[in-house]
């Protein structure tokens, strides 16, 4: 029995060290040095290439190296009977909600305006912010969206949340379904996306939803690039309807140097760092799932392949 680590962006040695501390006799292999394919029963992966996972006939679980699993479902040749699990992790959640709060407060308190003024030694005050009358819309009320809602509430923002199917979160005005989405957007001064990437959520931030937001709304996307229709966002900003955007994820990563997002004065780009997986933080749950699958017990944080999250 062996674990296969597959990622071109995470450091395998950090994960080896953290997991061996939990399971001392763990046989930890790093793709492409997988050895005998029959040995592999656990795959710990980030963006595995299509067809990679079907090479291991004894594979019993596929564990995502992130909160999202869309990168696994993109592998259409993946063995369909093998369960997929995701990470639900304090560090990831905290990083993500912190990033969203940062982006919202930064725009809310006009920091880019004052930074520009400082560059020309220009002293000018703009009116006080009215936090109590600045509703924030959250797309996706999973663990991360809910943590963000809680933090924003603590600052005094009215928080609205949207989910595909009905969900109630204390202190959050909840909306659901396609009509609920348009209804919610009507008054959101900020819109922050935390949705899983599925066939249903692809392109959800498009010309139609952007137009449903009030003039001057600000967009944050921390989920997946595919949630945003890039040209629609740029058009909505350029016609003055949307004030700007802070984007951490993109349709193609790394973001191509010729992409207009890089140079747009009203768009802030970060390189998919809103939530980075910390090996020492997730090792416990990964090890738990390895033990569970090897002893035939049910898994934690297993995703539903029908829902794709
Ligand atoms: C990062 O994008 C993740 O899915 O955790």
């Amino acid at each position: 029995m062996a674990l296969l680590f597959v990622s071109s962006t995470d450091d395998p040695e950090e994960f080896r060290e953290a997991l061996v501390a939990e399971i001392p006799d763990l046989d930890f292999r790093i793709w492409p040095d997988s050895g005998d394919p029959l040995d592999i029963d656990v795959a710990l992966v980030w963006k595995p290439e299509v067809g990679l996972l079907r090479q291991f006939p004894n594979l019993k679980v596929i564990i995502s190296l992130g909160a999202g699993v869309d990168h696994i479902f993109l592998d259409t040749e993946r063995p369909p009977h093998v369960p997929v699990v995701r990470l639900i992790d304090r560090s990831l959640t905290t990083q993500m909600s912190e990033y969203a709060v940062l982006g919202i407060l930064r725009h809310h308190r006009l920091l880019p305006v004052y930074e520009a003024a400082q560059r020309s030694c220009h002293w000018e005050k703009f009116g006080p912010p009215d936090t109590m009358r600045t509703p924030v819309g959250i797309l996706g009320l999973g663990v991360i969206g809910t943590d963000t809602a809680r933090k924003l509430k603590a600052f005094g923002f009215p928080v609205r949340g949207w989910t595909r199917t009905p969900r109630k979160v204390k202190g959050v005005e909840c909306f659901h379904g396609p009509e609920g989405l348009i209804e919610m957007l009507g008054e959101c001064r900020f819109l922050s996306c935390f949705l899983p990437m599925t066939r249903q959520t692809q392109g959800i931030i498009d010309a139609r939803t952007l137009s449903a937001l009030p003039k001057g709304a600000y967009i944050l996307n921390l989920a997946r690039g595919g949630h945003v229709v890039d040209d629609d966002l740029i058009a909505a900003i350029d016609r003055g309807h949307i004030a700007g955007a802070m984007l951490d994820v993109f349709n193609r990563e790394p973001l191509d140097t010729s992409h207009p997002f890089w140079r747009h004065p009203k768009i802030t780009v970060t390189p998919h760092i809103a939530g980075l997986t910390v090996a020492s933080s997730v090792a416990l749950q990964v090890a738990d799932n390895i033990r569970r699958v090897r002893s035939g017990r049910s898994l934690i944080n297993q995703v539903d392949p029908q829902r794709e999250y």
Side-chain angles (χ1 to χ4, degrees):
M1 289 182 300
L3 175 147
L4 183 66
F5 181 90
V6 183
S7 170
S8 56
T9 49
D10 299 273
D11 179 358
E13 290 316 321
E14 277 178 21
F15 283 86
R16 186 204 297 275
E17 195 181 316
L19 287 173
V20 166
E22 296 296 329
I23 306 176
D25 61 350
L26 182 70
D27 184 348
F28 186 100
R29 302 184 190 172
I30 303 164
W31 173 259
D33 296 326
S34 43
D36 184 348
L38 295 174
D39 295 344
I40 306 299
D41 66 339
V42 175
L44 180 58
V45 304
W46 180 252
K47 295 190 180 171
E49 61 193 56
V50 175
L52 189 154
L53 294 166
R54 67 152 191 212
Q55 301 170 37
F56 307 102
N58 295 323
L59 192 60
K60 290 197 185 64
V61 63
I62 301 165
I63 305 178
S64 172
L65 274 161
V69 288
D70 50 306
H71 62 105
I72 296 171
F73 289 127
L74 278 177
D75 178 358
T76 45
E77 295 171 21
R78 165 184 61 88
H81 60 279
V82 177
V84 175
V85 303
R86 71 189 201 97
L87 299 176
I88 296 181
D89 173 61
R90 269 273 292 278
S91 169
L92 260 179
T93 303
T94 304
Q95 292 176 59
M96 295 282 284
S97 52
E98 194 174 272
Y99 180 105
V101 170
L102 167 73
I104 289 167
L105 289 179
R106 173 177 175 266
H107 181 74
H108 182 57
R109 299 306 308 263
L110 307 178
L111 207 60
V113 172
Y114 290 116
E115 281 171 351
Q118 183 180 350
R119 281 194 287 275
S120 50
C121 309
H122 176 70
W123 181 282
E124 184 181 353
K125 298 182 191 194
F126 297 94
D130 192 355
T131 306
M132 256 58 115
R133 287 207 197 89
T134 305
V136 178
I138 291 187
L139 297 179
L141 289 171
V143 177
I144 298 168
T146 304
D147 190 54
T148 305
R150 189 178 56 77
K151 289 179 176 164
L152 290 168
K153 290 279 306 172
F155 279 100
F157 291 98
V159 180
R160 308 175 134 212
W162 180 84
T163 45
R164 220 166 44 79
T165 51
R167 179 173 294 196
K168 282 204 171 20
V169 172
K170 202 164 156 262
V172 177
E173 198 182 343
C174 292
F175 298 80
H176 68 272
E179 280 150 33
L181 177 59
I182 299 301
E183 191 189 341
M184 178 185 92
L185 296 177
E187 280 177 39
C188 295
R189 307 294 308 170
F190 287 90
L191 183 68
S192 189
C193 180
F194 298 97
L195 290 166
M197 184 68 201
T198 69
R199 272 164 293 189
Q200 274 87 22
T201 63
Q202 174 138 26
I204 193 164
I205 302 176
D206 63 358
R208 200 175 85 92
T209 43
L210 290 165
S211 299
L213 286 159
K215 187 172 159 56
Y218 189 87
I219 308 295
L220 294 102
N221 188 17
L222 300 69
R224 288 291 182 263
H227 289 122
V228 170
V229 178
D230 296 359
D231 291 345
D232 290 3
L233 177 60
I234 290 177
I237 295 175
D238 288 347
R239 75 182 161 92
H241 181 66
I242 296 296
M246 182 154 164
L247 307 172
D248 185 54
V249 286
F250 304 92
N251 274 292
R252 278 192 54 195
E253 296 179 6
L255 185 63
D256 197 274
T257 50
S258 65
H259 197 291
F261 283 165
W262 278 118
R263 289 169 195 85
H264 199 292
K266 295 190 172 154
I267 294 179
T268 299
V269 165
T270 53
H272 202 146
I273 46 74
L276 296 173
T277 301
V278 177
S280 57
S281 180
V282 302
L284 210 65
Q285 68 181 281
V286 173
D288 187 15
N289 267 333
I290 296 171
R291 288 193 206 96
R292 282 168 178 266
V293 83
R294 288 183 176 169
S295 59
R297 285 177 294 143
S298 61
L299 296 159
I300 52 165
N301 305 333
Q302 185 170 346
V303 302
D304 177 349
Q306 297 307 322
R307 290 196 317 178
E308 302 176 67
Y309 64 95

